[in-house]
Amino acid sequence: MKAIVCKQFGPPSSLVLEDIESPKPAEKEVLVQVKACGVNFPDTLIIQGLYQFKPELPFTPGSDIAGVVKEVGIKIKHVKPGDEVFGFVMHGGYAEEVVVPGNACFLKPSEMEFPVAASFMMAYGTSYHALKDRGRLKEGETLLVLGASGGVGLAAVELGKLMGAKVIAAASSTEKLELCKEYGADEVINYDTEDLKARIKELTDGKGVNVVYDPVGGRYSEPAIRGVAWEGRYLVVGFAAGDIPKIPLNLALLKGCAIVGVFWGSFAMKTPDKNMQNTMQLMQWYGAGKLKPHIHKIYPLAEASKALEDIMNRTVKGKAVIQCS
């Protein structure tokens, strides 16, 4: 089978397209012919050796997959060869075939196209886990989403609105913020041209926001946490800006707020039953037409490096997807 291979940690240009041996599923695994794989910001870190874990070289990046079941392990009962599925792997998705853990492989709704299914799991799974389980977002509260036009950010905007919050979307351009408005943002902040802390205060009448969803990090994190309301929750989702901020902990004391880590991948692997419940809720909302993943562009497998470069250059709005077979 053809696969994108990372032989040494480095930039996207160091990746190669090669023919490698097809994998075989273990007893609790599913072999999937990959039709599409979502491109996520952590992929750009994994190939550079900058993520929380480093796969053994050589490896194939890619986590969010959708495709057709080719073979199942002997203990797999919920899917069978020929079924259309979507799922999540730690790596291996940028390939024509991949082995998926049985508890991370789900039947795909027939009306959901493969690129959409491959855009769903990480973005919506992360954002729903963050807002529901970690942020305890309540109806009527105010949610601030940083990096709001990206894959997880746009999902957070959409879900926050669906959960009954007032949503403030922050991004770096007028074009990106217009997309956020289409997805339900009540107010917007251009943090490249506006003072983030001052605008939060203005938009909340000085009260601050109840929940901050931050997949960006860098220079935006401290002004965002300074804009948190009393007993607010600041969700640490990622560091797309490249820098891990050092937050003055006296801010948590003064605001009585919580700084909460969000690592959906570990949540999904450690508590698959809870993740399944979240996934079923997300699928119900999708089936009811309440969720609509935004596909920025579909790239052929041979152009996986270009997709990753576009993510790193912050030109992607919503989700980039690789067509694998």
Side-chain angles (χ1 to χ4, degrees):
M1 68 170 188
K2 294 189 181 300
I4 296 295
V5 181
C6 178
K7 295 185 173 181
Q8 60 184 21
F9 293 120
S13 59
S14 66
L15 299 173
V16 294
L17 177 64
E18 287 190 346
D19 286 309
I20 65 172
E21 187 175 349
S22 295
K24 283 287 184 182
E27 60 182 19
K28 295 182 179 180
E29 294 178 332
V30 180
L31 177 62
V32 176
Q33 179 189 1
V34 183
K35 294 296 185 181
C37 184
V39 184
N40 298 292
F41 182 75
D43 297 342
T44 70
L45 301 177
I46 290 170
I47 64 169
Q48 298 177 80
L50 300 176
Y51 199 53
Q52 288 95 327
F53 69 90
K54 294 183 181 180
E56 183 178 339
L57 295 168
F59 71 94
T60 293
S63 298
D64 253 342
I65 67 96
V68 179
V69 175
K70 187 173 181 180
E71 186 180 342
V72 300
I74 59 173
K75 291 193 175 180
I76 296 296
K77 306 299 181 185
H78 67 295
V79 296
K80 64 184 185 302
D83 284 346
E84 296 183 349
V85 296
F86 67 102
F88 176 80
V89 292
M90 297 308 289
H91 55 83
Y94 295 2
E96 291 179 329
E97 296 177 10
V98 68
V99 165
V100 183
N103 60 14
C105 187
F106 306 90
L107 284 170
K108 180 183 73 65
S110 58
E111 71 274 11
M112 181 185 271
E113 296 181 354
F114 286 114
V116 173
S119 302
F120 201 83
M121 202 62 174
M122 180 171 279
Y124 287 91
T126 295
S127 295
Y128 190 47
H129 169 55
L131 299 180
K132 169 182 167 280
D133 302 320
R134 307 297 287 153
R136 311 289 183 185
L137 182 67
K138 301 179 185 67
E139 186 175 356
E141 289 190 321
T142 300
L143 167 69
L144 170 67
V145 180
L146 305 183
S149 66
V152 293
L154 202 58
V157 169
E158 194 174 16
L159 286 167
K161 194 64 182 173
L162 188 56
M163 295 166 73
K166 175 185 177 181
V167 179
I168 301 173
S172 60
S173 74
T174 300
E175 183 183 14
K176 290 178 178 179
L177 292 171
E178 285 301 318
L179 179 61
C180 294
K181 288 179 183 178
E182 292 177 23
Y183 273 71
D186 298 287
E187 303 285 354
V188 296
I189 301 173
N190 185 329
Y191 46 43
D192 267 10
T193 61
E194 298 177 287
D195 184 308
L196 180 59
K197 179 187 170 186
R199 281 289 284 153
I200 294 170
K201 185 176 182 180
E202 178 184 345
L203 293 173
T204 61
D205 296 323
K207 297 175 183 176
V209 297
N210 303 105
V211 177
V212 175
Y213 181 98
D214 184 6
V216 179
R219 62 190 177 94
Y220 305 116
S221 296
E222 186 173 328
I225 201 169
R226 288 182 181 277
V228 170
W230 174 252
E231 294 189 341
R233 288 83 73 200
Y234 171 83
L235 304 177
V236 183
V237 182
F239 311 102
D243 296 323
I244 298 176
K246 294 177 173 60
I247 301 296
L249 286 179
N250 65 308
L251 293 176
L253 183 152
L254 293 171
K255 293 177 173 292
C257 70
I259 299 174
V260 186
V262 178
F263 193 177
W264 173 77
S266 285
F267 163 78
M269 294 300 175
K270 292 177 184 293
T271 55
D273 290 346
K274 292 181 180 178
N275 184 58
M276 175 68 82
Q277 291 173 8
N278 284 359
T279 302
M280 296 311 295
Q281 177 63 76
L282 291 168
M283 296 312 296
Q284 285 178 17
W285 280 333
Y286 177 83
K290 296 179 179 180
L291 299 176
K292 47 179 182 178
H294 179 78
I295 307 297
H296 174 81
K297 183 178 178 180
I298 298 174
Y299 302 74
L301 184 59
E303 294 182 14
S305 295
K306 178 65 167 64
L308 289 163
E309 287 168 356
D310 288 348
I311 291 280
M312 294 175 72
N313 293 331
R314 298 191 216 175
T315 60
V316 173
K317 298 184 291 295
K319 295 288 294 188
V321 178
I322 293 171
Q323 183 173 313
C324 298
S325 64

